[in-house]
Amino acid sequence: MATVALYNMEGAKTGSMEVSDAIFAAEVNKTVLHAVVVNQLANKRQGTQSTKTRTEVAGGGAKPWRQKGTGRARQGSIRAPQWTGGGVALGPKPRSYRYSLNKKVKRLAMKSALSSKYAEYKVYVVQDMSLEEIKTSKIVSLLKGLELTDKALIVTAESNENIYKSARNIKGVTPTHVGQLNVYDILNHDAFVISKDAVEKIEEVLA
């Protein structure tokens, strides 16, 4: 079994725990990771960009000049794409970029993302991640104790308002919970700080 160190809320090491090899020590599949990250970013796109075609640009109802006899190329409207101020040919229109992936692919990508962090020694498990009140200094103290200066993803088992509001204003720190955990966030942060009960929940979900 793979083993990770346990820390308290001050960032001091208190022990260790075993984690599932199938989830935290699996082979990292870069192809699947890429596919899932591209899918997540595509699904986040609003798709609201829009340009006007020649039928939507105001004006241009009259023919610029007669069809023949001028020596110039024939033109039907000053709002054609080749004219300054004309419509855009083949420009973007509002559309949805969403598409779905197989659940097995998403599960494999999640295991690969977690395993990549474990392989890089970037997984920090906190024994009891809880706060009695909203206190940003407590999270700062935790990160300082863990000697983390880069981007960190803090994960709890369930939605925790005190943890979330205490960590959200710290630069480079993103608080979340298992229900919202995704591959992009894991890979986009250098450190993976997670509560012990969140690890157990992830193992239960991905088993």
Side-chain angles (χ1 to χ4, degrees), residues 9 129-140 160-168:
M9 283 299 290
M129 189 184 295
S130 62
L131 292 176
E132 296 180 355
E133 59 180 336
I134 299 171
K135 203 75 173 176
T136 300
S137 60
K138 294 288 186 181
I139 302 298
V140 172
N160 188 313
E161 184 177 10
N162 287 349
I163 294 291
Y164 178 79
K165 289 187 175 181
S166 297
R168 64 181 178 179

Side-chain angles (χ1 to χ4, degrees), residues 3-167:
T3 304
V4 294
L6 284 175
Y7 300 88
N8 59 23
M9 283 299 290
E10 284 70 47
K13 186 175 179 180
T14 59
S16 62
M17 71 175 288
E18 292 184 339
V19 293
S20 172
D21 287 341
I23 298 174
F24 287 91
E27 181 180 355
V28 178
N29 190 321
K30 293 183 179 180
T31 301
V32 170
L33 285 176
H34 177 266
V36 172
V37 168
V38 170
N39 172 252
Q40 285 183 221
L41 295 179
N43 290 347
K44 285 182 178 181
R45 295 185 66 174
Q46 290 184 320
T48 55
Q49 71 277 37
S50 181
T51 54
K52 290 184 178 182
T53 64
R54 61 185 295 169
T55 63
E56 297 170 315
V57 180
K63 190 174 176 64
W65 49 76
R66 66 179 192 269
Q67 184 82 343
K68 296 178 180 294
T70 66
R72 290 177 290 185
R74 51 191 167 186
Q75 300 291 331
S77 170
I78 61 171
R79 292 297 178 252
Q82 71 271 19
W83 284 74
T84 300
V88 176
L90 308 177
K93 283 293 185 182
R95 54 163 287 197
S96 173
Y97 289 89
R98 294 189 65 85
Y99 67 95
S100 60
L101 290 178
N102 191 297
K103 289 183 179 179
K104 290 183 178 180
V105 173
K106 293 180 180 180
R107 289 166 63 88
L108 178 58
M110 181 65 75
K111 292 179 181 180
S112 292
L114 294 171
S115 296
S116 69
K117 289 302 175 188
Y118 177 81
E120 296 170 357
Y121 302 99
K122 295 295 186 179
V123 177
Y124 303 86
V125 181
V126 180
Q127 178 80 38
D128 181 21
M129 189 184 295
S130 62
L131 292 176
E132 296 180 355
E133 59 180 336
I134 299 171
K135 203 75 173 176
T136 300
S137 60
K138 294 288 186 181
I139 302 298
V140 172
S141 177
L142 169 62
L143 298 176
K144 186 176 181 180
L146 295 174
E147 298 181 353
L148 300 180
T149 57
D150 299 318
K151 297 173 66 176
L153 182 66
I154 298 179
V155 185
T156 54
E158 305 290 343
S159 179
N160 188 313
E161 184 177 10
N162 287 349
I163 294 291
Y164 178 79
K165 289 187 175 181
S166 297

